[in-house]
Amino acid sequence: QKEVEQNSGPLSVPEGAIASLNCTYSDRGSQSFFWYRQYSGKSPELIMSIYSNGDKEDGRFTAQLNKASQYVSLLIRDSQPSDSATYLCAVTTSGTYKYIFGTGTRLKVLA
Amino acid sequence: DTEVTQTPKHLVMGMTNKKSLKCEQHMGHRAMYWYKQKAKKPPELMFVYSYEKLSINESVPSRFSPECPNSSLLNLHLHALQPEDSALYLCASSQGAGPNQPQHFGDGTRLSIL
């Protein structure tokens, strides 16, 4: 069973702090990794994609991938109350293009 | 606003009704997906169309019937649904059906079965 695991939270951080969200996956052959943000009652919105080891930055967001340790993380700098949402990690497994979603981490940014 | 448009936004239907959900994208994407999402759970894949052909059916009950009339349109026909089918139905599309292709989601149709 190929799995993607996330801490369900809630992860509470004060406004202006760095929020760190983590995701581990079981399939060592996984190739592609995506972070989505989902507000309550809304659809998932793509934030970042990462395909190779290392860091990838986009504005306040940084995705980090470590294939040897089988984890991918998302850092949100200068967190804002509007960042409060559920963050879903999605991984495409080896040999397919199907997403395997983690259960999501609920982030609360406190004003 | 997303570039994947789903209609209707809300749908209430009885167990004997027949209805359809519609999804449209004009990004030139060649892969389209249907997902079902229950509250506080991640999306669950139902169907994948690649180049207008059904490529994945995740053992979905036959009361759900997908259709891809052309590369921009994806329908989900519903018939004789059960109360447990109440959920948010999400359509997504990607440029191709490959591992490095991010999927872009529509706003979803919130379906309630009476």
Side-chain angles (χ1 to χ4, degrees):
Chain A
Q1 181 78 4
K2 296 172 181 175
E3 293 182 345
V4 177
E5 295 191 358
Q6 296 180 254
N7 188 321
S8 61
L11 171 66
S12 295
V13 299
E15 184 175 359
I18 296 176
S20 177
L21 305 163
N22 299 313
C23 171
T24 60
Y25 58 94
S26 62
D27 183 1
R28 191 169 283 281
S30 297
Q31 295 182 268
S32 310
F33 308 85
F34 306 92
W35 282 101
Y36 285 83
R37 176 175 63 196
Q38 187 171 26
Y39 293 111
S40 181
K42 302 294 187 183
S43 64
E45 173 192 7
L46 180 67
I47 297 176
M48 296 280 288
S49 58
I50 187 166
Y51 309 118
S52 54
N53 280 330
D55 295 0
K56 179 181 177 183
E57 187 174 320
D58 184 1
R60 296 187 296 114
F61 300 99
T62 299
Q64 299 174 318
L65 175 60
N66 184 324
K67 289 188 177 181
S69 300
Q70 294 177 240
Y71 82 80
V72 56
S73 61
L74 180 71
L75 300 179
I76 307 175
R77 287 183 300 283
D78 188 25
S79 296
Q80 301 297 309
S82 58
D83 294 324
S84 298
T86 295
Y87 289 79
L88 294 163
C89 171
V91 175
T92 55
T93 57
S94 53
T96 80
Y97 44 82
K98 296 196 304 184
Y99 276 6
I100 305 294
F101 278 99
T103 51
T105 297
R106 191 155 65 95
L107 173 67
K108 296 174 78 170
V109 180
L110 307 171
Chain B
D1 288 344
T2 65
E3 295 180 81
V4 178
T5 303
Q6 290 188 243
T7 53
K9 293 194 184 307
H10 302 275
L11 178 62
V12 179
M13 57 187 287
M15 289 190 284
T16 58
N17 292 156
K18 285 186 181 181
K19 296 285 186 183
S20 297
L21 309 185
K22 181 179 171 182
C23 174
E24 194 166 3
Q25 57 87 15
H26 294 289
M27 296 180 282
H29 288 178
R30 302 314 300 268
M32 297 185 77
Y33 311 77
W34 280 115
Y35 287 86
K36 172 183 177 180
Q37 187 176 26
K38 302 282 271 186
K40 300 190 187 303
K41 299 288 187 184
E44 298 173 28
L45 183 66
M46 300 174 72
F47 303 103
V48 180
Y49 273 83
S50 177
Y51 291 86
E52 301 161 48
K53 289 186 171 22
L54 182 65
S55 59
I56 294 178
N57 176 342
E58 292 285 280
S59 303
V60 178
S62 60
R63 58 185 184 270
F64 295 92
S65 175
E67 179 196 19
C68 189
N70 60 57
S71 60
S72 301
L73 274 176
L74 185 65
N75 297 321
L76 185 63
H77 302 298
L78 314 173
H79 173 56
L81 295 194
Q82 304 298 308
E84 61 265 26
D85 297 322
S86 298
L88 180 66
Y89 287 83
L90 294 163
C91 174
S93 70
S94 61
Q95 191 162 6
N100 289 356
Q101 303 293 331
Q103 295 178 25
H104 300 268
F105 287 84
D107 287 338
T109 293
R110 188 160 299 284
L111 176 65
S112 298
I113 307 300
L114 300 178

